[in-house]
Amino acid sequence: MTSLRHNGAETGGPRDAYLDAARACILDLGWRRTTLTEVARRAGVSRMTIYRTWSDMRQLLADLMTREWTEVVVAAEADDEDSPGRTVVERLVDKLVRTVKVLRGNELFVRIVELDPELILPYLLDRRGRSQQLILELVEQALRDAQASGDVRAGDPAAMARGLVLSAHGFVLSAHTMVDDDVSEEALEAEMRVVLTRTLQP
Amino acid sequence: MTSLRHNGAETGGPRDAYLDAARACILDLGWRRTTLTEVARRAGVSRMTIYRTWSDMRQLLADLMTREWTEVVVAAEADDEDSPGRTVVERLVDKLVRTVKVLRGNELFVRIVELDPELILPYLLDRRGRSQQLILELVEQALRDAQASGDVRAGDPAAMARGLVLSAHGFVLSAHTMVDDDVSEEALEAEMRVVLTRTLQP
């Protein structure tokens, strides 16, 4: 994680160190058993210091998730620059598939899904979170650029971005429930590529 | 619902009447506050009669959800016969979009999502439910038939069916979180049609 830290929007400083401590707690104990007191203990600061930044664990978690998923998305963007020689659509699809895979394998995400899956429900059922909003904006901008050069089909880039992100939701959360002796993880990833590629092509 | 009841796999008889009573309880009170005792009271039978069929509310709910979603899927299949004159892909996409919309608007589904959303988590994160399995089988068979006539692209129909269903997950659960002043429900539905149509075309 540390190597990506410099890409984040709000980084460095004590706030980031407190989030690191909270992240370590959640990986060890799960979210439900992590308290602000425990975060303070791990960070080696007073409880009041933590309370001045977050009034409860729910607010801290929202900030931690935003930082973590933002890093995932920014890393997926960055990698892309290293692999030229593909079409615009291929690069966009690679980026989306990579984001889905990295998110699915992210240790904080895996831990939350294992121990406290109800924490993700608000972001599925009630409202978009900050990182979902960031992803939408990045995808929409990428679509707008690619449409300008004629590399991606016409259409409202905002609606297209939301359709793409909704199509990807199932692959992030539930792909493993669709893998068994009949269909491999690779076959399912290939299907995701087909869905995304065909959706984007002019 | 009653008009669709004759399409279900296991219908009629007292078991169905108990599920009707449970359904009414859950719509009124939510799942968490519905007990087998309350279901028995509504059905006008003894508590022991209900306990002989289900040992707890979780088992009853699994049977109720299976019955309900099976009806949704069977109804989407049935409607299709009334609208000829479209291509095979158009008919398949119509069927999938209709299933997504009816499921999203189903009163039992809406009530569960409102009051007890954690009940759907196992079917997203752990394993396929019986109705998810039924949907996969129906889609796979439809793809197999359409491939035989050359109307749908080649590929493993099992993997394709799972990819399509995963692509649809987000549109069932989270489409409303992607609708606002910038993107209408209609625009998002149009995007879902593009995704599905392009994914299926030869």
Side-chain angles (χ1 to χ4, degrees):
Chain A
M1 293 307 303
T2 322
S3 63
L4 308 174
R5 190 60 42 83
H6 66 279
N7 291 312
E10 306 171 29
T11 57
R15 192 176 165 287
D16 230 33
Y18 308 155
L19 288 177
D20 288 341
R23 186 177 189 279
C25 281
I26 292 170
L27 290 182
D28 277 0
L29 308 171
W31 180 78
R32 215 186 311 253
R33 291 170 57 202
T34 297
T35 60
L36 288 178
T37 306
E38 177 64 18
V39 173
R41 202 191 58 73
R42 288 226 188 192
V45 297
S46 75
R47 222 163 60 104
M48 273 315 294
T49 304
I50 299 293
Y51 273 100
R52 268 196 291 275
T53 315
W54 300 280
S55 62
D56 59 36
M57 270 301 294
R58 203 161 278 274
Q59 287 187 29
L60 186 155
L61 181 76
D63 281 353
L64 177 60
M65 290 203 291
T66 299
R67 185 184 78 167
E68 188 93 8
W69 318 151
T70 300
E71 283 175 353
V72 166
V73 174
V74 169
E77 288 279 323
D79 278 356
D80 188 56
E81 291 158 20
D82 301 333
S83 34
R86 292 161 302 150
T87 68
V88 171
V89 167
E90 280 167 348
R91 291 223 309 276
L92 253 168
V93 171
D94 279 353
K95 206 179 283 192
L96 290 165
V97 171
R98 199 163 50 229
T99 306
V100 166
K101 287 175 76 171
V102 175
L103 193 49
R104 201 158 66 195
N106 175 279
E107 57 182 351
L108 184 64
F109 184 75
V110 168
R111 198 70 176 143
I112 288 174
V113 164
E114 273 173 4
L115 290 183
D116 307 291
E118 69 283 2
L119 291 175
I120 58 174
L121 281 173
Y123 305 106
L124 288 180
L125 302 177
D126 297 337
R127 61 185 182 80
R128 305 197 289 271
R130 277 173 282 167
S131 13
Q132 285 167 304
Q133 189 57 37
L134 170 73
I135 292 170
L136 283 181
E137 283 161 17
L138 288 172
V139 173
E140 184 179 334
Q141 189 53 53
L143 292 176
R144 216 177 279 280
D145 295 343
Q147 284 176 332
S149 56
D151 291 304
V152 156
R153 75 171 160 91
D156 172 20
M160 288 169 72
R162 295 185 193 188
L164 282 171
V165 170
L166 283 180
S167 306
H169 268 193
F171 288 97
V172 174
L173 283 175
S174 310
H176 58 287
T177 70
M178 296 288 182
V179 168
D180 54 25
D181 290 347
D182 295 329
V183 176
S184 68
E185 196 178 327
E186 293 68 34
L188 214 51
E189 183 182 319
E191 282 303 316
M192 177 168 48
R193 278 185 187 278
V194 170
V195 171
L196 295 173
T197 303
R198 287 179 164 230
T199 300
L200 289 171
Q201 271 162 351
Chain B
M1 294 307 302
T2 322
S3 63
L4 309 173
R5 189 61 41 82
H6 66 279
N7 290 313
E10 307 171 27
T11 56
R15 191 176 166 288
D16 231 34
Y18 307 157
L19 288 177
D20 288 340
R23 187 177 189 277
C25 280
I26 292 169
L27 290 182
D28 276 1
L29 307 171
W31 179 77
R32 214 186 311 252
R33 292 170 58 202
T34 296
T35 60
L36 288 177
T37 306
E38 177 63 19
V39 172
R41 202 191 58 74
R42 286 227 190 193
V45 297
S46 75
R47 221 162 62 105
M48 274 314 295
T49 303
I50 299 292
Y51 272 101
R52 267 194 293 273
T53 315
W54 299 281
S55 62
D56 58 35
M57 270 302 293
R58 205 161 274 276
Q59 289 188 29
L60 185 155
L61 182 76
D63 282 352
L64 177 61
M65 290 203 291
T66 300
R67 186 184 79 169
E68 188 92 9
W69 318 151
T70 300
E71 283 174 355
V72 166
V73 174
V74 169
E77 288 279 324
D79 279 356
D80 187 57
E81 292 158 19
D82 301 332
S83 33
R86 292 161 302 150
T87 67
V88 170
V89 167
E90 281 167 346
R91 290 222 310 274
L92 255 168
V93 171
D94 279 353
K95 208 181 281 194
L96 290 164
V97 171
R98 197 162 51 228
T99 306
V100 166
K101 287 176 74 172
V102 175
L103 194 49
R104 200 158 65 194
N106 175 280
E107 57 182 351
L108 184 63
F109 184 76
V110 168
R111 198 69 175 144
I112 289 173
V113 164
E114 273 175 1
L115 290 183
D116 306 292
E118 70 282 2
L119 292 176
I120 59 174
L121 281 172
Y123 305 106
L124 288 180
L125 302 176
D126 298 336
R127 61 185 181 80
R128 306 198 287 272
R130 278 173 280 166
S131 13
Q132 284 166 306
Q133 189 57 37
L134 170 73
I135 292 171
L136 283 180
E137 284 162 16
L138 288 172
V139 173
E140 183 180 335
Q141 189 53 52
L143 292 176
R144 214 176 280 280
D145 294 344
Q147 284 175 331
S149 55
D151 291 303
V152 157
R153 76 172 159 90
D156 172 19
M160 289 169 70
R162 294 185 194 188
L164 282 172
V165 169
L166 283 179
S167 306
H169 268 194
F171 288 97
V172 174
L173 282 177
S174 310
H176 59 286
T177 70
M178 296 288 182
V179 168
D180 54 24
D181 289 347
D182 296 329
V183 176
S184 67
E185 195 178 326
E186 292 68 32
L188 215 51
E189 184 182 318
E191 281 304 316
M192 176 168 50
R193 278 184 187 278
V194 170
V195 171
L196 296 173
T197 303
R198 287 178 163 230
T199 300
L200 289 172
Q201 271 161 352

